[in-house]
Amino acid sequence: SYELTQPPSVSVSPGQTARITCSGDALSELYGYWYQQKPGQAPLVVIYKDSERPSGIPERFSGSSSGTTVTLTISGVQAGDEADYYCQSADSSGTFVVFGGGTKLTVL
Amino acid sequence: QLQLHESGPGPVKPSETLSLTCTVSGGSISSSSYYWGWIRQPPGKGLGWIGSIYYSGSSYYNPSLKSRVTISVDTSKNQFSLKLSSVTAADTAVYYCARHVRELDYFDYWGQGTLVTVSS
């Protein structure tokens, strides 16, 4: 089965930059997406098509792609950014949607 | 503003069938651009895609659940539904419905989720 691999946790101090990576073979061909999930809430897409930001998402959130890895970057991290972040893509045949295991962002 | 809302009968006993309905408001489920999907999240764990359906009834499922899952759509009610058979405690999760942008394969609108507990 196809998998996306994320680090379980990332910790940063307020004002610093957080980078969360997601690796998977199909990411070299398909887009990656990023969701933010706060406790008790539904996921919210913060980056789509590797690097596009939906309306209403702060410019502090950005995305990039290189080879088989996509990266979510949060600049000037704030306490309110503390959440779980999930990457998502599909298998190369487009018949299977897959989520990464999630990364817990802790703001120290 | 598009809204999705999950509803269901509550706790399910092991070996029974879990049934949930997602009601879409603020937009038509018959839009040609979108599929409609189900995703679940066991307590304290990550997200898992269950399957997605088009308004025409065309559907596709996570291979790991395919033998137990049926997703259907009722365009007259602007709803789509999930049935998961032969449930066990491992199926206890928050179940989300979401709009699936099929061309890009991601979920842009989500319901608030509903916790389904499998317990005798």
Side-chain angles (χ1 to χ4, degrees):
Chain A
S1 64
Y2 180 56
E3 295 182 351
L4 296 175
T5 302
Q6 301 179 231
S9 62
V10 168
S11 300
V12 296
S13 299
Q16 290 190 330
T17 297
R19 293 181 179 84
I20 301 172
T21 59
C22 173
S23 299
D25 288 343
L27 290 174
S28 62
E29 306 169 17
L30 300 177
Y31 290 121
Y33 303 87
W34 289 97
Y35 301 86
Q36 176 194 67
Q37 186 181 35
K38 296 182 178 179
Q41 296 184 17
L44 171 71
V45 59
V46 294
I47 293 291
Y48 68 102
K49 288 177 63 177
D50 290 345
S51 59
E52 300 291 325
R53 195 173 49 251
S55 60
I57 301 301
E59 292 183 9
R60 303 182 291 103
F61 289 83
S62 63
S64 61
S65 176
S66 178
T68 59
T69 299
V70 293
T71 301
L72 172 68
T73 301
I74 309 172
S75 305
V77 167
Q78 302 176 359
D81 298 330
E82 191 163 277
D84 293 324
Y85 291 85
Y86 293 91
C87 63
Q88 180 253 303
S89 188
D91 70 316
S92 56
S93 65
T95 59
F96 182 87
V97 174
V98 62
F99 289 90
T103 298
K104 181 175 181 59
L105 175 66
T106 300
V107 182
L108 301 171
Chain B
Q1 177 77 350
L2 189 77
Q3 293 186 325
L4 298 92
H5 185 260
E6 306 89 351
S7 59
V12 184
K13 290 183 169 55
S15 80
E16 294 187 344
T17 295
L18 178 159
S19 297
L20 292 172
T21 295
C22 182
T23 301
V24 179
S25 58
S28 173
I29 203 169
S30 300
S31 171
S32 61
S33 301
Y34 306 107
Y35 273 59
W36 304 89
W38 288 97
I39 301 102
R40 70 179 183 177
Q41 184 173 36
K45 296 188 178 181
L47 301 167
W49 173 70
I50 298 171
S52 298
I53 192 165
Y54 195 51
Y55 76 92
S56 65
S58 175
S59 60
Y60 68 124
Y61 304 124
N62 186 323
S64 69
L65 296 170
K66 187 175 182 178
S67 63
R68 297 195 292 131
V69 173
T70 301
I71 299 176
S72 58
V73 62
D74 187 337
T75 56
S76 67
K77 295 182 179 179
N78 229 33
Q79 294 176 336
F80 62 107
S81 298
L82 169 70
K83 291 189 185 297
L84 180 65
S85 64
S86 304
V87 298
T88 69
D91 295 309
T92 294
V94 174
Y95 285 77
Y96 295 98
C97 61
R99 190 173 78 171
H100 182 168
V101 183
R102 182 64 171 113
E103 181 183 11
L104 297 176
D105 265 332
Y106 81 107
F107 304 93
D108 60 350
Y109 285 90
W110 294 63
Q112 86 283 1
T114 187
L115 175 63
V116 178
T117 301
V118 179
S119 175
S120 54

